[in-house]
Amino acid sequence: FEKIVNVVICAAKDAKKLGEEDPRRVIHSFKVGLAITLVSLFYYFDFLYEGFGVAAMWAVITVVVVFEFSVGATFGKGMNRGIATLLGGALGVAAHRLASFTGENAESIILGLSVFWISALATFLRFFPKLKARYDYGLLIFILTFSLISVSGYRDDEVLEMAHKRLSTVLIGGSAAVLICIFICPIWAGEDLHNLTATNIEKLAVFLEGFGREYFETNKGNKASLDGYKSVLKVKGNEEVLVNSAKWEPGHGRFRYRHPWGQYLKVGRSIRECAYKIDALNGYLNSEMQTPMEIRSKVQESCTKMSSECSCALRELAKGLKTMTRAMSAEPHIRNAKTAAKNLKSSLQTSLWPDTDLLDIIPAAAVASLIVDIVSCTIKIADSVHELACL
Amino acid sequence: FEKIVNVVICAAKDAKKLGEEDPRRVIHSFKVGLAITLVSLFYYFDFLYEGFGVAAMWAVITVVVVFEFSVGATFGKGMNRGIATLLGGALGVAAHRLASFTGENAESIILGLSVFWISALATFLRFFPKLKARYDYGLLIFILTFSLISVSGYRDDEVLEMAHKRLSTVLIGGSAAVLICIFICPIWAGEDLHNLTATNIEKLAVFLEGFGREYFETNKGNKASLDGYKSVLKVKGNEEVLVNSAKWEPGHGRFRYRHPWGQYLKVGRSIRECAYKIDALNGYLNSEMQTPMEIRSKVQESCTKMSSECSCALRELAKGLKTMTRAMSAEPHIRNAKTAAKNLKSSLQTSLWPDTDLLDIIPAAAVASLIVDIVSCTIKIADSVHELACL
């Protein structure tokens, strides 16, 4: 019994954390409850119920399965469901009518074969990556509606009415879901994506800002504060889902319809590339092979310069992204970083390193070359962000 | 019109490619068609149809939405749907009965409130990461069934019958899907996961085998052949889905029920870590900063040794994983690689580098230190694979 209490307490704590992390989750839950309750009013008011009968349940089902966290996802699913029901229903009615011209036995064989072939074909279509990304749900509903309508053993006019009822209840449920999703505290996938991108750039900037201090100075106090970039490494799948959802969204806030959402994937790729370099750099911060400070100090100036200039450039880019302006203020920082990279190269070329052990130099050299790589990654990020601003 | 023809031709080519890449996709499509056709027989045979009436459509719906590519995913969805229908139906009947004790007006208010609160709560539960991974679909179906049963404005005994019919048709549809999925050319998520892991290890081995030749020799012919490892960087999300599916699967072939599927995630993590190092190494292969060959040749021996020994060790590990034996034959290769790493360190310590430019050395040194990292990554992979074999 005590165990159960413990589980409940743990779950409650988790729930509180989930809710505090993103209060929109709580709001979303209430929105779903509200939408289902509203649509289920169909059953309470007799004049509505008489029109649709049992088919009214399709409205409830549609709300439950279509209502997603973001407006884009809900809209996409609703559109998929609506159009697929229309197409599947039409094709089902057509198959039914076609088969009914033949005799009773031939009819069921023809219908069975058409269900078999059409559902096999539609299932195979779901493997196409492009269709899978945006129309997977629609294909599922298409198979569903087609099978239900075409095999139902009713008379012709009943099938038509059934298809009609199914379509209108699905439309009612779908629009209820979409309307509630849009008009009560909307959660836009596009805005989430935009903010995610800006936050990720900032996280890189935070690391680069702290890195110089951490690596070249002896006081290693607050190292945990540099781990923020790690979440950047994980977000890829999430980003693609957000892009696919955002493509369904109408214009909202600062984003017009057909905002170049695809470009965010490109920006995301260059951000992740930079994050991997940073991860490698972080490895040297925590490495056991400690490079003597006098060697580090030889590359200190240019490395610190590069990392802090990159950090400033990234901060400017993130700010520009947030305000949706072209961040020209990043340019000078990038120029400075490039100059510092050149200086580093020349400081390595001159024989400043008389009697040092090569094994001691290597980690410092690797750090320096990683930072040079990060400068070019920063340039890539800046280019893709500028491209986004121009599209 | 020509455009349409082109699109069709393109689609046909894509379809052919998809089918050839994995012929199981075609088989899966036919399996789905077969399952739906079989279940739709309900409508044709009068004695079956009379028992269930309109509720027979739930069997068709269940087959369509539950049938997934792998046995594990189908089984998981079927179980989710079955149990959620049972729970949702039971709770719905209970709510209905409870509300019917009160007056007519109070009844609809109580039902409305219970639908609101329970669906909001269940929607919030879907945000828990653990529940989301395995029971997301079940929670959705729970909300669905509960709302449908509890708000349907029928009399008490009819509600019970409705819940009963719904449950039995869902069970029929679910078991049809699961049986066809298991007994006709089954596709096991667990086996896929196992093979994916072994193939990924092999891909790393292929790169490491070719790297020595590519980097230290001048002939740069077949560089494209080394890009195989890149697919390893992308598979993370896929792996998690496979693990979640595999956990639902009964014992099959060489895998018992409760095979330690979670450990594959750990192996996958260490494989990806190694793949990132390899990606960095690959960057040096294609880099514009060309290191003079006489410098490369100084680290050639130990680097070639390390990378070929790692490659052999990884190959042995992959072989051992495939045959599910503990690959003891990887041990000596790992030992050799470790020795080579030590040799490299001493060759760097001695002053073999009199008049060379530091800037030329750095890339070679970075390559050498990356290969040393790869040796430790290989050890990590070996450890996690051994752990898997022992579990």
Side-chain angles (χ1 to χ4, degrees):
Chain A
F1 177 71
E2 222 170 78
K3 224 174 163 187
I4 298 175
V5 173
N6 270 337
V7 168
V8 170
I9 291 174
C10 268
K13 270 184 196 159
D14 282 357
K16 201 169 162 239
K17 218 182 78 193
L18 279 173
E20 275 170 359
E21 248 175 51
D22 194 346
R24 298 179 305 174
R25 287 173 178 152
V26 181
I27 297 172
H28 169 72
S29 305
F30 284 122
K31 276 160 73 180
V32 173
L34 179 68
I36 295 174
T37 315
L38 279 183
V39 172
S40 64
L41 287 180
F42 267 96
Y43 281 93
Y44 299 126
F45 293 111
D46 287 341
F47 66 96
L48 285 175
Y49 186 69
E50 269 159 27
F52 291 113
V54 181
M57 73 173 172
W58 286 107
V60 179
I61 293 179
T62 303
V63 169
V64 174
V65 297
V66 155
F67 213 118
E68 292 276 328
F69 191 59
S70 70
V71 174
T74 308
F75 199 71
K77 262 195 152 175
M79 288 292 279
N80 262 310
R81 190 167 179 116
I83 292 172
T85 306
L86 179 65
L87 290 180
L91 207 61
V93 169
H96 201 269
R97 187 152 291 183
L98 214 73
S100 67
F101 287 129
T102 62
E104 177 118 351
N105 274 331
E107 185 180 342
S108 45
I109 291 173
I110 290 178
L111 283 178
L113 281 177
S114 69
V115 166
F116 177 76
W117 280 104
I118 288 191
S119 48
L121 186 73
T123 306
F124 189 71
L125 284 180
R126 292 175 72 194
F127 286 113
F128 283 78
K130 268 186 198 164
L131 293 177
K132 183 153 194 79
R134 295 196 74 188
Y135 305 108
D136 192 52
Y137 186 66
L139 284 166
L140 186 77
I141 295 299
F142 172 79
I143 302 175
L144 191 72
T145 311
F146 175 75
S147 323
L148 283 186
I149 300 284
S150 67
V151 300
S152 65
Y154 297 113
R155 275 179 297 120
D156 232 32
D157 49 342
E158 275 180 349
V159 168
L160 199 62
E161 202 195 311
M162 186 176 147
H164 172 95
K165 270 187 190 166
R166 206 175 121 76
L167 182 62
S168 36
T169 44
V170 164
L171 289 182
I172 291 172
S175 22
V178 169
L179 289 177
I180 289 180
C181 202
I182 290 188
F183 289 109
I184 303 180
C185 309
I187 296 159
W188 301 99
E191 206 168 309
D192 270 14
L193 177 64
H194 187 84
N195 292 339
L196 180 72
T197 307
T199 320
N200 280 345
I201 294 181
E202 259 172 13
K203 280 179 184 162
L204 301 186
V206 167
F207 179 91
L208 289 175
E209 197 181 28
F211 176 77
R213 191 184 61 238
E214 282 294 326
Y215 189 71
F216 294 109
E217 277 166 35
T218 38
N219 65 324
K220 302 220 163 185
N222 48 348
K223 196 136 75 184
S225 65
L226 288 184
D227 279 353
Y229 75 92
K230 284 203 172 153
S231 64
V232 181
L233 298 171
K234 286 187 228 154
V235 293
K236 193 185 170 209
N238 194 13
E239 237 172 53
E240 274 161 19
V241 172
L242 285 176
V243 167
N244 278 326
S245 297
K247 279 183 182 164
W248 285 107
E249 284 174 356
H252 58 278
R254 306 163 294 167
F255 309 101
R256 63 179 197 282
Y257 178 64
R258 295 193 165 280
H259 189 76
W261 298 116
Q263 178 70 16
Y264 284 89
L265 286 181
K266 205 173 155 193
V267 178
R269 257 198 307 278
S270 46
I271 293 175
R272 255 189 311 285
E273 207 176 299
C274 191
Y276 285 126
K277 304 277 180 201
I278 283 181
D279 197 39
L281 211 52
N282 194 38
Y284 285 100
L285 267 188
N286 306 317
S287 164
E288 290 158 29
M289 278 212 285
Q290 285 301 337
T291 320
M293 277 298 161
E294 67 263 26
I295 292 181
R296 292 189 187 190
S297 66
K298 291 200 181 162
V299 290
Q300 177 169 8
E301 198 195 320
S302 36
C303 281
T304 317
K305 181 89 181 160
M306 277 190 283
S307 86
S308 70
E309 290 292 347
C310 279
S311 167
C312 290
L314 289 173
R315 261 187 216 285
E316 292 296 333
L317 286 172
K319 213 193 285 169
L321 201 60
K322 273 188 183 158
T323 57
M324 297 193 81
T325 50
R326 241 196 109 174
M328 300 310 294
S329 47
E331 294 296 332
H333 293 295
I334 288 178
R335 263 199 307 280
N336 290 343
K338 274 186 190 167
T339 323
K342 262 183 213 150
N343 289 344
L344 174 71
K345 279 180 194 171
S346 59
S347 83
L348 289 174
Q349 257 158 342
T350 51
S351 37
L352 272 172
W353 312 72
D355 296 318
T356 35
D357 198 337
L358 203 53
L359 200 64
D360 283 337
I361 301 177
I362 288 175
V367 165
S369 86
L370 272 172
I371 299 184
V372 172
D373 285 348
I374 286 174
V375 173
S376 46
C377 280
T378 306
I379 295 170
K380 249 192 199 169
I381 296 176
D383 287 347
S384 58
V385 169
H386 284 165
E387 209 177 305
L388 178 64
C390 296
L391 282 173
Chain B
F1 178 71
E2 223 170 79
K3 223 175 164 185
I4 297 175
V5 173
N6 271 338
V7 168
V8 170
I9 290 175
C10 269
K13 271 185 194 158
D14 282 358
K16 201 169 160 241
K17 217 181 81 194
L18 279 174
E20 275 169 358
E21 249 175 49
D22 194 347
R24 299 179 304 174
R25 287 174 179 152
V26 181
I27 297 172
H28 170 72
S29 306
F30 284 122
K31 276 160 73 181
V32 173
L34 179 68
I36 295 174
T37 314
L38 278 184
V39 172
S40 67
L41 287 179
F42 267 96
Y43 281 93
Y44 299 127
F45 293 110
D46 288 341
F47 67 95
L48 286 173
Y49 186 70
E50 269 162 25
F52 292 112
V54 181
M57 73 174 172
W58 285 108
V60 179
I61 294 179
T62 303
V63 169
V64 175
V65 297
V66 155
F67 213 118
E68 293 275 330
F69 191 59
S70 69
V71 174
T74 309
F75 198 72
K77 260 192 153 177
M79 288 291 280
N80 263 310
R81 189 167 179 117
I83 292 172
T85 306
L86 178 66
L87 290 180
L91 207 61
V93 169
H96 202 269
R97 188 153 291 182
L98 213 73
S100 67
F101 286 130
T102 61
E104 178 118 352
N105 275 331
E107 185 179 344
S108 45
I109 292 173
I110 289 179
L111 283 177
L113 279 179
S114 69
V115 167
F116 176 78
W117 279 104
I118 287 190
S119 48
L121 187 73
T123 305
F124 188 72
L125 284 181
R126 292 176 73 195
F127 286 112
F128 283 80
K130 269 188 196 162
L131 293 178
K132 183 153 194 78
R134 296 198 71 188
Y135 306 107
D136 191 51
Y137 186 66
L139 285 166
L140 187 77
I141 295 299
F142 172 79
I143 302 175
L144 192 71
T145 310
F146 176 75
S147 323
L148 283 186
I149 300 283
S150 68
V151 300
S152 64
Y154 298 112
R155 275 179 298 119
D156 233 31
D157 47 345
E158 274 177 350
V159 167
L160 200 62
E161 202 195 314
M162 185 175 146
H164 173 97
K165 270 187 191 168
R166 208 175 119 76
L167 182 62
S168 35
T169 45
V170 163
L171 289 182
I172 290 172
S175 25
V178 168
L179 289 178
I180 289 181
C181 203
I182 291 190
F183 288 109
I184 303 181
C185 309
I187 296 159
W188 301 100
E191 207 169 307
D192 270 15
L193 177 65
H194 188 82
N195 292 339
L196 180 73
T197 307
T199 320
N200 280 346
I201 294 181
E202 258 172 14
K203 280 179 184 162
L204 301 187
V206 167
F207 179 91
L208 289 176
E209 197 180 28
F211 177 77
R213 192 184 60 240
E214 282 295 325
Y215 188 72
F216 294 109
E217 278 165 36
T218 38
N219 67 325
K220 302 220 164 185
N222 49 349
K223 197 135 75 185
S225 66
L226 289 184
D227 279 353
Y229 77 91
K230 283 202 172 152
S231 63
V232 181
L233 299 171
K234 287 185 227 155
V235 293
K236 193 183 170 211
N238 194 13
E239 236 171 53
E240 274 162 17
V241 172
L242 284 177
V243 167
N244 278 326
S245 297
K247 280 183 183 164
W248 286 106
E249 285 175 355
H252 57 280
R254 306 164 295 168
F255 309 101
R256 63 180 198 280
Y257 179 65
R258 292 193 169 281
H259 189 75
W261 299 116
Q263 177 70 15
Y264 284 88
L265 286 181
K266 206 173 155 193
V267 178
R269 257 198 305 278
S270 46
I271 292 175
R272 255 190 310 285
E273 205 176 297
C274 189
Y276 284 125
K277 303 280 179 200
I278 283 182
D279 197 39
L281 211 51
N282 194 38
Y284 284 100
L285 266 188
N286 306 316
S287 164
E288 292 158 30
M289 276 212 287
Q290 284 303 335
T291 320
M293 276 298 162
E294 67 263 26
I295 292 181
R296 292 190 188 190
S297 66
K298 293 201 180 159
V299 290
Q300 177 168 8
E301 198 196 318
S302 37
C303 282
T304 317
K305 180 88 180 158
M306 278 190 283
S307 87
S308 69
E309 291 292 345
C310 280
S311 167
C312 289
L314 289 173
R315 259 185 218 285
E316 292 297 331
L317 286 172
K319 214 192 285 168
L321 201 60
K322 274 187 183 162
T323 56
M324 299 192 78
T325 50
R326 244 197 107 175
M328 299 310 296
S329 47
E331 294 297 331
H333 293 295
I334 289 179
R335 264 200 305 280
N336 290 344
K338 275 187 190 165
T339 322
K342 261 183 213 149
N343 289 344
L344 174 73
K345 279 181 194 168
S346 58
S347 84
L348 289 173
Q349 257 159 342
T350 51
S351 38
L352 273 172
W353 313 72
D355 296 317
T356 36
D357 198 336
L358 204 54
L359 199 63
D360 285 336
I361 300 175
I362 288 174
V367 165
S369 85
L370 272 173
I371 298 185
V372 172
D373 286 348
I374 286 174
V375 173
S376 47
C377 281
T378 306
I379 295 170
K380 248 193 202 169
I381 296 178
D383 287 348
S384 58
V385 169
H386 284 168
E387 208 176 308
L388 177 64
C390 297
L391 282 174

